[in-house]
């Protein structure tokens, strides 16, 4: 039997030396110049290619075993043939036209597929910068020097130190740029920073002797991003040199951020300082939040790949992640895709799963933004494309892999346990469970008298000490207002003057004719004086029932000035206690009057009380009367402050609970804590299903 001849290699391929692998073995790089494609091959593959001219797999394998310490079989040669054929590195054999045409037909996409791919990602090359980079490289060399690096490090330390000293001013400068002009400035700064970022990559590659063929703009889901073709970095055998190219963009942005931060700290207020702030904030955020992330194929990914010396880090870690997932679920006993140390294998698997979770959240967010950014009909189509391509397709591919392995999966006991676990999880999500509603809440007396300063006034006296009992009608505080006193004196003098004028009007014929109008003027003056006297009473409030006085500020003392409507304290009356809270619409639908509840004070400093739901408001609360339950104060209600009012971000409903056992030891005190209320049974997935249906209903315009 005659052995099959090996197909000839393409003559335009270049074989370049590669870096030493992590295990110490050498590697080589195949360069397909026609497609500017670089492929890394290992030592056995190189030895096989070196003897390719022997013509058949058996002869090549025998020669490799005889001329090197490697042990290669004909099957290894056949595997390399398949690899070369898959990447189109072989010369077309006679009679292969039909096979090549079939491959081209499979690679061609339908117009819809082409449109989807072009929408998700495409590139537009704009420049061929290689000659220009060579011309300006001598100038750019100064920015790669050790002296410039030390100078920039000093600027960074000094700038950050000055910013920390003026952190309040730096922080307050951010809202000033939330305007149309400010957003335009940020857009211009981002464009400039990204241009410098790409120039950093280009010059770093050029100074290492590499060719930079193109620079341009790439669009990821219609979002523009600058790019520089630095594929020639695969020619570098030293991974630290590859790291220089990968890190150059981030390093450039950090240089801009360092000098811009120092400029903001040193410049006076004005346009230059605002420009420095925009450059600094843009550079820091764009670098740390986007480019440094290894979860997407940005600079952080390539830096991590070179640091751990693992080309194609994502695909190799994904293969390990899928293998481990299938072993956990089905115990197939499949061979590990690649063998590393125990810790490295675990790290790669964890990295793969972290990337999956990150991308799932990111792509769901992008899909939502795309839907809201475009008109409704187009946004719905683009949303479906996003979800289908980035979310559904990976799950579909994995399920197809399970279907291919179904005979092996069906025979494994682990698969049965995994199926039972999935059914139990599904049942747990779909079956109703006895539930409870939890929220932050306030324990307070059922009746209390709040004390406020009616207007700006001086605290003249505190007849009752903080925490002391007060009797009905007792004066609680004494306030003094110089303005009120002068107005009372003026009103009293006016009343007395008008009374005298009215008394003597009977002796003057002219005054008698105006007697009626004078009497009306006197009545008005007396009413004004009575009103001012009543205001004076408000400056000395009295207790409307017995209770205990609690000052808002325990350090409040006579001689201090109080602002208009500033809280002074409250009088907690003896009697019943209540607990109040606010919950959202989903929670209030599951509650019924008379439901039992438990209140536990924060920090366990107070009592644990048994409650009963006594009242549910039918209408949602527009303004939260007590900010202690706002999320900003440690509560559970998301709020925003507008015109000195605390407004809930979503509809919330007021609940009142009666305390079954009055806490006598807490006389007069109010407490914040957590409340748990017995609620009707509900499936855990029901809330999310209702929310999804409400969104679909709203967006459909029904």
């Amino acid at each position: 039997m005659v052995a099959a001849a090996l197909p000839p290699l393409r003559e335009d391929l270049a074989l370049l030396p590669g870096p030493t692998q992590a295990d110490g073995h050498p590697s080589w790089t195949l360069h397909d110049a026609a497609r500017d494609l670089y492929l890394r091959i290992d030592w056995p593959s190189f030895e096989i290619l070196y003897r390719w001219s022997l013509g058949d797999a058996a002869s090549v394998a025998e020669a490799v075993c005889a001329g090197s310490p490697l042990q290669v079989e004909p099957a290894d040669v056949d595997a390399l043939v398949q690899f070369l054929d898959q990447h189109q590195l072989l010369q077309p054999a006679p009679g292969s036209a039909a096979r090549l045409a079939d491959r081209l037909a499979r690679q061609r996409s339908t117009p819809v597929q082409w449109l989807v791919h072009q929408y998700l990602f495409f590139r537009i090359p704009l420049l061929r910068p290689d000659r220009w980079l060579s011309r300006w490289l001598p100038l750019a060399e100064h920015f790669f020097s050790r002296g410039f690096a030390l100078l920039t490090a000093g600027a960074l330390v000094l700038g950050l130190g000055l910013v920390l000293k003026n952190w309040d001013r730096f922080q307050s400068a951010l809202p000033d740029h939330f305007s149309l002009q400010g957003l335009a400035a940020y857009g211009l700064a981002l464009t400039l920073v990204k241009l410098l970022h790409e120039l950093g990559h280009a010059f770093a590659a050029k100074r290492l002797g590499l060719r930079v063929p193109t620079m341009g703009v790439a669009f990821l889901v219609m979002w523009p991003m600058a790019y520089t073709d630095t594929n020639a970095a695969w020619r570098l055998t030293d991974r630290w040199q590859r790291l220089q190219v990968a890190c150059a963009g981030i390093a450039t942005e950090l240089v801009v951020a360092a000098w811009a931060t120092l400029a903001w700290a040193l410049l006076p207020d004005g346009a230059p300082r605002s420009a420095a702030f925009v450059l600094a904030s843009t550079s820091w955020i764009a670098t740390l939040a986007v480019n440094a992330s290894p979860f997407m194929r940005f600079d952080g990914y390539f830096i991590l790949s070179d640091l751990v010396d693992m080309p194609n880090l994502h695909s190799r870690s994904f293969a390990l992640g899928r293998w481990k997932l299938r072993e956990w679920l089905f115990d197939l006993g499949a061979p590990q895709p690649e063998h590393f140390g125990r810790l490295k294998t675990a790290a790669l698997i964890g990295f793969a799963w972290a990337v999956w979770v990150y991308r799932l959240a990111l792509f769901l967010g992008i899909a939502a933004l795309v839907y809201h950014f475009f008109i409704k009909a187009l946004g719905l189509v683009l949303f479906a494309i996003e979800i289908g391509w980035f979310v559904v397709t990976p799950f579909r591919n994995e399920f197809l892999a399970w279907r291919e392995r179904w005979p092996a999966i069906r025979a494994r006991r682990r698969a049965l346990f995994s199926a039972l676990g999935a059914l139990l999880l599904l049942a747990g999500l779909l079956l109703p469970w006895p539930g409870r509603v939890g929220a932050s809440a306030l324990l307070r007396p059922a009746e209390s008298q709040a004390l406020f300063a009616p207007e700006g006034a001086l605290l003249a006296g505190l007849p009752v000490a903080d925490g002391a009992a007060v009797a009905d009608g007792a004066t609680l505080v004494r306030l003094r207002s110089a303005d009120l006193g002068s107005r009372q004196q003026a009103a009293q003098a006016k009343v007395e003057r008008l009374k005298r004028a009215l008394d003597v009007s009977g002796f003057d014929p002219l005054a008698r004719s105006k007697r009626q109008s004078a009497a009306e003027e006197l009545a008005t003056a007396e009413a004004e004086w009575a009103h001012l006297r009543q205001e004076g009473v408000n400056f000395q409030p009295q207790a409307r029932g017995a209770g205990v006085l609690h000052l808002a500020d325990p350090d409040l003392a006579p001689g201090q000035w109080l602002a208009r409507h500033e809280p002074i304290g409250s009088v907690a009356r003896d009697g019943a206690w209540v607990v109040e809270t606010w919950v959202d619409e989903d929670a209030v639908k599951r509650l019924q009057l008379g439901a039992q509840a438990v209140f536990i004070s924060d920090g366990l400093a107070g009592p644990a009380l048994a409650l009963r739901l006594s009242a549910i408001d039918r209408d949602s609360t527009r303004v939260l009367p007590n900010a202690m339950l706002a999320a900003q104060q440690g509560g559970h209600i998301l709020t925003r402050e507008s015109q000195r009012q605390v407004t809930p971000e979503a509809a919330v409903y007021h609940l009142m609970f009666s305390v079954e056992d009055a806490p006598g030891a807490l006389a007069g005190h109010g407490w914040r804590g957590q409340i748990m209320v017995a609620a009707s049974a509900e499936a855990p997935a029901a809330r999310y299903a209702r929310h999804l249906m409400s969104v679909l209903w709203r967006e459909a315009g029904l």
Side-chain angles (χ1 to χ4, degrees):
M1 180 177 178
V2 180
L6 295 176
L9 299 171
R10 282 173 41 193
E11 296 181 355
D12 58 336
L13 298 179
L15 185 62
L16 308 172
T20 302
Q21 295 180 332
D23 57 4
H25 291 167
S27 69
W28 285 261
T29 302
L30 277 173
H31 180 210
D32 182 357
R35 295 180 293 167
D36 195 24
L37 180 67
Y38 293 85
L39 297 170
R40 183 74 49 79
I41 61 173
D42 56 10
W43 185 11
S45 299
F46 168 77
E47 295 291 348
I48 293 172
L49 290 176
Y50 183 72
R51 297 165 176 82
W52 197 263
S53 59
L54 295 178
D56 62 84
S59 300
V60 170
E62 183 180 354
V64 171
C65 293
S68 72
L70 300 174
Q71 296 298 315
V72 174
E73 299 179 356
D76 298 321
V77 181
D78 294 336
L80 182 59
V81 171
Q82 294 179 3
F83 171 81
L84 297 173
D85 181 61
Q86 179 184 358
H87 291 87
Q88 304 176 30
L89 303 179
L90 301 174
Q91 292 184 21
S96 62
R99 183 173 60 87
L100 294 175
D102 181 63
R103 174 186 290 180
L104 180 62
R106 290 197 304 268
Q107 290 178 348
R108 284 178 176 173
S109 56
T110 65
V112 175
Q113 291 174 331
W114 178 88
L115 183 62
V116 170
H117 282 278
Q118 293 300 311
Y119 154 67
L120 294 175
F121 181 79
F122 63 93
R123 286 182 173 184
I124 301 178
L126 299 177
L127 301 172
R128 298 185 179 276
D130 199 64
R131 288 186 178 181
W132 183 87
L133 293 172
S134 299
R135 187 181 309 120
W136 289 97
L137 182 59
L139 177 61
E141 282 285 359
H142 296 292
F143 297 101
F144 290 90
S145 65
R146 181 181 180 86
F148 182 75
L150 293 175
L151 193 62
T152 301
L156 175 62
V157 172
L158 180 59
L160 289 179
L162 293 174
V163 166
L164 289 176
K165 286 186 176 181
N166 299 275
W167 178 247
D168 291 339
R169 294 185 63 187
F170 187 85
Q171 191 176 20
S172 62
L174 185 61
D176 296 339
H177 293 81
F178 287 159
S179 62
L180 186 60
Q181 184 178 1
L183 293 177
Y186 271 109
L188 181 61
L190 185 61
T191 302
L192 175 62
V193 168
K194 290 306 174 185
L195 176 60
L196 294 175
H197 176 107
E198 298 305 323
L199 287 176
H201 285 303
F203 278 117
K206 195 63 186 174
R207 67 190 298 267
L208 293 174
L210 303 178
R211 180 173 174 268
V212 182
T214 59
M215 295 177 69
V217 179
F219 289 85
L220 178 62
V221 196
M222 303 306 292
W223 183 262
M225 300 182 298
Y227 80 92
T228 301
D229 187 351
T230 57
N231 283 337
W234 282 89
R235 292 176 174 269
L236 300 172
T237 58
D238 186 352
R239 65 169 175 163
W240 299 111
Q241 290 183 335
R242 295 196 305 273
L243 268 174
Q244 291 180 31
V245 178
C247 294
I250 290 179
T252 301
E253 291 195 33
L254 291 177
V255 167
V256 172
W259 287 102
T261 302
L262 179 61
W264 179 88
L266 298 179
L267 290 173
D269 290 334
R273 194 182 198 198
S274 296
F277 175 83
V278 171
L279 277 176
S281 56
T282 301
S283 301
W284 286 118
I285 294 173
T287 299
L288 299 178
V290 179
N291 291 309
S293 171
F295 299 131
M296 300 294 290
R297 294 182 67 87
F298 297 137
D299 290 351
Y301 164 72
F302 295 104
I303 293 172
L304 181 61
S305 297
D306 286 326
L307 281 176
V308 300
D309 197 18
M310 282 195 66
N312 303 318
L313 175 61
H314 275 171
S315 58
R316 295 166 71 179
S317 65
F318 290 173
L320 280 171
R322 288 191 295 267
W323 167 80
K324 189 62 176 179
L325 179 64
R326 294 165 189 167
E327 290 302 307
W328 274 4
L329 292 177
F330 310 124
D331 190 23
L332 296 176
Q336 189 171 320
E338 289 187 84
H339 292 276
F340 304 100
R342 184 176 180 181
L343 290 178
K344 189 171 184 178
T345 300
L348 289 172
I349 293 172
F351 175 72
W353 292 350
V355 172
W356 294 346
V357 173
Y358 174 86
R359 289 188 176 184
L360 177 62
L362 177 66
F363 292 145
L364 288 175
I366 291 177
L369 287 176
V370 166
Y371 173 76
H372 290 287
F373 184 76
F374 294 94
I375 60 175
K376 183 170 292 188
L378 180 59
L380 188 60
V381 173
L382 298 181
F383 177 85
I385 292 174
E386 287 279 322
I387 296 297
W389 183 263
F390 289 121
V391 179
V392 176
T393 298
F395 284 99
R396 175 180 175 273
N397 293 338
E398 183 61 21
F399 291 147
L400 290 177
W402 292 1
R403 188 175 68 177
E404 293 177 0
R405 295 165 175 79
W406 176 244
I409 292 175
R410 185 173 53 185
R412 308 302 294 181
R413 180 177 296 181
R414 178 79 61 82
L416 177 61
F417 292 147
S418 298
L420 290 176
L423 289 175
L424 289 176
L425 178 61
L426 185 62
L429 292 174
L430 299 180
L431 295 178
W433 290 75
R436 59 183 182 179
V437 172
S440 57
L442 291 174
L443 169 66
R444 61 173 180 80
E447 296 184 9
S448 62
Q449 177 185 351
L451 303 176
F452 294 89
E455 61 181 47
L458 176 69
L459 181 60
L462 284 171
V464 182
D466 182 29
V470 296
D472 184 18
T475 300
L476 302 173
V477 294
R478 293 191 179 91
L479 303 175
R480 183 182 303 160
S481 171
D483 177 65
L484 178 63
S486 61
R487 285 189 290 138
Q488 285 179 333
Q489 292 177 2
Q492 184 179 8
K494 183 178 180 181
V495 170
E496 293 176 354
R497 177 177 56 81
L498 290 174
K499 282 183 176 180
R500 287 196 301 269
L502 192 62
D503 290 341
V504 300
S505 62
F507 302 99
D508 187 354
L510 182 59
R512 280 199 303 270
S513 63
K514 297 181 179 181
R515 187 179 181 86
Q516 182 64 32
S517 60
E520 293 176 357
E521 187 177 0
L522 175 60
T524 302
E526 288 177 338
E528 181 180 358
W529 188 25
H531 175 72
L532 292 175
R533 288 199 307 271
Q534 182 59 41
E535 269 194 61
V537 173
N538 295 336
F539 279 77
Q540 297 188 28
Q542 297 178 343
R544 296 192 296 269
V548 178
L549 174 66
H550 290 279
L551 297 178
D553 182 4
D555 297 328
L556 196 64
Q560 296 181 0
W561 283 93
L562 303 177
R564 177 180 175 85
H565 294 164
E566 181 177 345
I568 301 173
S570 63
V571 176
R573 298 181 187 174
D574 300 332
W577 289 73
V578 295
V579 172
E580 64 177 350
T581 188
W582 286 260
V583 297
D584 60 23
E585 186 175 5
D586 286 329
V588 80
K589 289 180 178 179
R590 302 174 57 198
L591 301 178
Q592 295 181 352
L593 292 176
Q596 294 183 343
V598 174
F599 174 85
I600 301 175
S601 60
D602 287 346
L604 302 178
L609 303 175
L611 312 175
R612 191 169 296 277
L613 181 57
S614 58
I616 304 176
D617 282 3
R618 294 185 176 182
D619 298 325
S620 61
T621 301
R622 295 181 178 272
V623 177
L624 196 64
N626 197 321
M628 288 183 65
L629 298 185
Q632 295 87 336
Q633 302 293 333
H636 72 284
I637 305 174
L638 296 177
T639 61
R640 63 180 184 275
E641 190 170 348
S642 177
Q643 297 179 352
R644 296 185 178 181
Q645 291 183 333
V646 180
T647 305
E649 291 284 358
V652 292
Y653 295 81
H654 184 224
L655 307 180
M656 291 291 293
F657 296 83
S658 59
V659 179
E660 295 186 347
D661 296 323
L666 295 178
H669 286 272
W671 298 82
R672 186 177 70 182
Q674 298 296 316
I675 190 172
M676 289 293 173
V677 191
S680 59
E682 183 183 47
R687 178 175 183 178
Y688 301 101
R690 284 198 306 269
H691 181 71
L692 177 61
M693 293 303 298
S694 65
V695 171
L696 294 177
W697 188 271
R698 182 185 69 241
E699 296 300 330
L702 300 175

